[in-house]
Amino acid sequence: MTENHQFSSQDTSVVGIEKHQRNTNMDPKSENLHLINPFVHKMELIDPLDKVKTAVFTVLLLPFRVFVICLLLLLAWFLACIGLYGLTEEDLRSRPMKGWRRFLKNIICLVGRCSYLAGGMSIRVIGSRCSRDEAPILVAAPHTSFLDSVIVYVTNMSSVIVRKESMDNYVGKLINYTQPIYVWRDDPNSRQNTIKAIKERANSPEDWPQIIIFPEGTCTNRSCLITFKNGAFYPGVPIQPVCIRYPNVRDTVTWTWDGPGVLKLLWLTLTQVHSACEIEFLPIYVPSQEEKENAKLYAHNVRNVMSKALGLPISDYTYDDCKILTRAKEMNLPFASSIIDIEKLRKSIGLKETNIDEKPVMLPKYELDYIEFCQKLEIPQNHSHARKLFSLFDPESSGVIDFRNYLLCTQFLMKLNQPLIDLVKSAFEIYQNDSNGVSCEIFYFIIRHTLGVPDEVIHLIYSQIAKQSSQELITFDDFAKYARGKAEFSKIFTENVDSCEKLKQV
């Protein structure tokens, strides 16, 4: 039942930008890149028959399923409240549950699995879960959906890693019953403390529940396995890999950073006649001495094993890439869904931040074909990565791109750790056709695609600035002067692009 594995390497215009939707994944070291973004999932009902079925089941099936699921979840919550009665948070962290409280887990898990069955989802378990003595930690992948929580019921309420501030809600009781390892977001030492807690729990002689960890750290569309975070592998103990599959004709469960929201996915899933989930327990992975001393190597090798079992490629995408993608989407940046691919392709081509042709500048000509694009960046035309980079900005294969959009994306990547106002300034420099400022249309575009501000707010800003300056063209200095006097824009002068989320509330 044990295996040891060794390491082995392996609309181009301002108006047309909103039309861009592309799934993109790559290994930048490979000359043959395949663009499949693991953080993008599109789910739309196109077939008229599917629309009719969904409408009918929304009326006939959905209310019944929701009612039964709510009853079962309420029962599970009530049982968890009984099991937690008399226990403090310190009790949950200091010693494992025993006796009748532990037995109650079996009933809660049965109720939890029944709630999935009530929603039309069958759960098939392949292989056998090992005991805690054999493998204190379970690592599950790929992480696709909030519905992956079914694995907690399948593993008899294994302990999860959870943010403490997310516990103040209905499901908090159920999560607490797993005796989770808490993460405090406001704690500057949160990462170190979490790793310490995982090590202590995994190596404890007491009979704690197994720890279940999703090492990818975020949800993907199951097109590949992204880089595993090292947390599960620091203890250096044997682990059991767990593969999760949803072998359905229509994917209504995938919940990514760029795709349908929770309510839409629940609605589409609950209006399917039948859905399926497969959970496969792979053989225990016992680390070598080298892997025990190198968590990154350990994580890499386990990912390779799971990749082969799932039949999925591996990718060097990471959780940090997710955060960059999220920032770009919050700002409504042009071609935001491809921003990580843009960064990786630029690096693979050898483009540097100091590249003079990527600096913000007023362009005499901004519509470029592929040959002009390569000449502008001084890169060879026969470079396959260059062709792919160009194609990201030409989703309709027109043969021409707006080079200004490319420049804005590169400026975003270069200024991630700089105040957001610096990106706004670069946008003015890139898109203005006149040294006296930008037109109303271009001003709307810049503010909409750097700060993510709604059009009605931009209209108010433009009218007030135009009134103060008594001219139609607006310069960056005009905007900066206006923004400095507004409390809602104050943080863009001091914070990096993380502040863009708050500007959406303006």
Side-chain angles (χ1 to χ4, degrees):
M1 288 290 289
T2 62
E3 295 181 5
N4 285 284
H5 304 271
Q6 300 302 315
F7 175 80
S8 60
S9 299
Q10 312 221 24
D11 186 68
T12 60
S13 66
V14 167
V15 177
I17 284 173
E18 284 76 7
K19 299 178 181 179
H20 175 64
Q21 298 289 353
R22 180 181 290 268
N23 289 347
T24 67
N25 169 58
M26 69 180 64
D27 176 2
K29 298 177 184 177
S30 168
E31 195 66 25
N32 183 23
L33 272 70
H34 300 283
L35 301 180
I36 309 171
N37 192 325
F39 307 126
V40 175
H41 175 60
K42 301 303 176 186
M43 178 64 205
E44 298 295 339
L45 296 176
I46 300 176
D47 189 332
L49 182 59
D50 288 335
K51 292 182 179 180
V52 171
K53 287 181 178 178
T54 301
V56 171
F57 288 135
T58 297
V59 176
L60 301 180
L61 190 59
L62 182 63
F64 173 75
R65 283 182 168 175
V66 170
F67 177 74
V68 175
I69 290 171
C70 287
L71 281 181
L72 291 170
L73 290 178
L74 184 61
L75 175 59
W77 174 83
F78 179 70
L79 292 172
C81 289
I82 293 175
L84 292 172
Y85 181 76
L87 294 179
T88 65
E89 190 175 291
E90 180 60 31
D91 293 332
L92 292 174
R93 289 203 304 263
S94 61
R95 57 183 178 273
M97 291 183 185
K98 297 180 180 179
W100 67 272
R101 298 182 195 271
R102 192 152 191 158
F103 174 78
L104 197 57
K105 283 188 175 184
N106 299 322
I107 302 175
I108 294 175
C109 289
L110 177 61
V111 173
R113 292 184 65 163
C114 285
S115 68
Y116 279 80
L117 292 175
M121 180 172 287
S122 62
I123 303 165
R124 181 187 177 206
V125 178
I126 305 171
S128 301
R129 179 170 67 100
C130 66
S131 67
R132 182 188 183 279
D133 290 338
E134 295 174 290
I137 296 176
L138 306 171
V139 293
H143 189 17
T144 306
S145 172
F146 49 89
L147 294 174
D148 292 345
S149 58
V150 67
I151 199 170
V152 174
Y153 298 128
V154 171
T155 58
N156 202 32
M157 301 197 80
S158 294
S159 297
V160 297
I161 313 295
V162 63
R163 289 196 301 267
K164 185 65 176 71
E165 53 269 26
S166 68
M167 299 296 290
D168 299 327
N169 53 39
Y170 164 79
V171 297
K173 291 289 185 182
L174 288 172
I175 295 176
N176 271 332
Y177 211 75
T178 71
Q179 296 194 271
I181 293 175
Y182 299 107
V183 178
W184 278 265
R185 181 184 293 174
D186 296 332
D187 181 3
N189 300 315
S190 175
R191 181 175 179 273
Q192 291 78 5
N193 291 338
T194 301
I195 293 172
K196 180 182 177 182
I198 293 173
K199 286 182 176 180
E200 290 177 350
R201 184 77 68 88
N203 290 288
S204 172
E206 297 192 72
D207 189 22
W208 286 97
Q210 287 172 304
I211 303 170
I212 182 77
I213 296 176
F214 291 91
E216 291 176 297
T218 188
C219 290
T220 70
N221 59 20
R222 297 194 304 283
S223 60
C224 60
L225 289 183
I226 66 172
T227 301
F228 281 8
K229 300 175 79 172
N230 299 334
F233 307 95
Y234 280 117
V237 298
I239 63 96
Q240 184 171 28
V242 185
C243 298
I244 304 177
R245 302 182 183 90
Y246 292 93
N248 301 308
V249 175
R250 184 172 293 102
D251 184 0
T252 62
V253 302
T254 296
W255 185 39
T256 58
W257 296 77
D258 184 3
V262 173
L263 293 180
K264 182 175 181 179
L265 291 175
L266 278 175
W267 165 54
L268 292 174
T269 300
L270 294 177
T271 52
Q272 300 298 306
V273 176
H274 173 263
S275 300
C277 174
E278 291 181 356
I279 297 176
E280 181 180 6
F281 292 93
L282 299 182
I284 300 168
Y285 190 110
V286 180
S288 65
Q289 187 59 39
E290 185 181 7
E291 289 170 328
K292 290 179 181 179
E293 297 170 357
N294 187 337
K296 185 175 182 180
L297 172 65
Y298 191 2
H300 179 93
N301 291 347
V302 170
R303 182 174 65 149
N304 282 342
V305 171
M306 299 184 74
S307 169
K308 291 176 182 177
L310 289 160
L312 295 177
I314 62 173
S315 165
D316 66 344
Y317 282 98
T318 66
Y319 174 68
D320 288 337
D321 291 335
C322 262
K323 293 191 289 186
I324 294 174
L325 174 62
T326 302
R327 293 173 182 177
K329 285 182 62 61
E330 288 169 351
M331 295 165 61
N332 198 23
L333 189 78
F335 302 95
S337 61
S338 296
I339 194 66
I340 303 304
D341 298 314
I342 293 168
E343 178 185 36
K344 294 182 187 301
L345 284 168
R346 286 181 62 254
K347 287 182 178 178
S348 69
I349 295 169
L351 293 170
K352 307 294 183 182
E353 293 185 10
T354 55
N355 190 304
I356 188 169
D357 290 319
E358 293 188 328
K359 291 184 178 180
V361 62
M362 187 170 62
L363 300 171
K365 179 184 180 182
Y366 54 81
E367 290 190 344
L368 306 181
D369 60 24
Y370 178 65
I371 294 175
E372 293 170 324
F373 175 77
C374 292
Q375 291 173 343
K376 188 72 175 174
L377 297 180
E378 299 179 354
I379 56 178
Q381 297 175 25
N382 60 355
H383 199 305
S384 62
H385 297 194
R387 173 63 71 179
K388 288 181 171 63
L389 181 60
F390 181 86
S391 68
L392 291 178
F393 294 90
D394 185 22
E396 297 180 357
S397 302
S398 66
V400 177
I401 68 168
D402 187 332
F403 190 65
R404 298 175 300 179
N405 298 334
Y406 169 81
L407 288 179
L408 184 60
C409 288
T410 59
Q411 287 299 304
F412 166 82
L413 292 168
M414 295 174 188
K415 298 179 184 296
L416 284 172
N417 297 317
Q418 298 180 27
L420 191 53
I421 193 65
D422 289 352
L423 181 64
V424 179
K425 182 178 181 180
S426 294
F428 270 86
E429 294 171 348
I430 291 169
Y431 287 96
Q432 66 185 24
N433 319 336
D434 190 313
S435 57
N436 293 323
V438 299
S439 65
C440 174
E441 180 185 4
I442 297 298
F443 179 79
Y444 266 68
F445 175 84
I446 290 173
I447 303 304
R448 182 189 303 121
H449 291 288
T450 57
L451 301 180
V453 176
D455 282 356
E456 58 272 18
V457 178
I458 301 175
H459 175 74
L460 178 62
I461 295 171
Y462 177 83
S463 60
Q464 291 181 353
I465 294 177
K467 184 177 180 180
Q468 292 175 3
S469 60
S470 301
Q471 59 182 16
E472 291 188 3
L473 297 181
I474 293 179
T475 66
F476 167 75
D477 290 337
D478 292 332
F479 172 74
K481 181 180 178 181
Y482 169 87
R484 287 185 187 279
K486 301 294 181 180
E488 58 268 26
F489 285 102
S490 61
K491 290 189 176 181
I492 69 172
F493 294 92
T494 57
E495 294 188 356
N496 61 24
V497 293
D498 282 325
S499 62
C500 66
E501 184 176 16
K502 299 170 186 176
L503 286 172
K504 293 173 74 176
Q505 310 298 325
V506 174

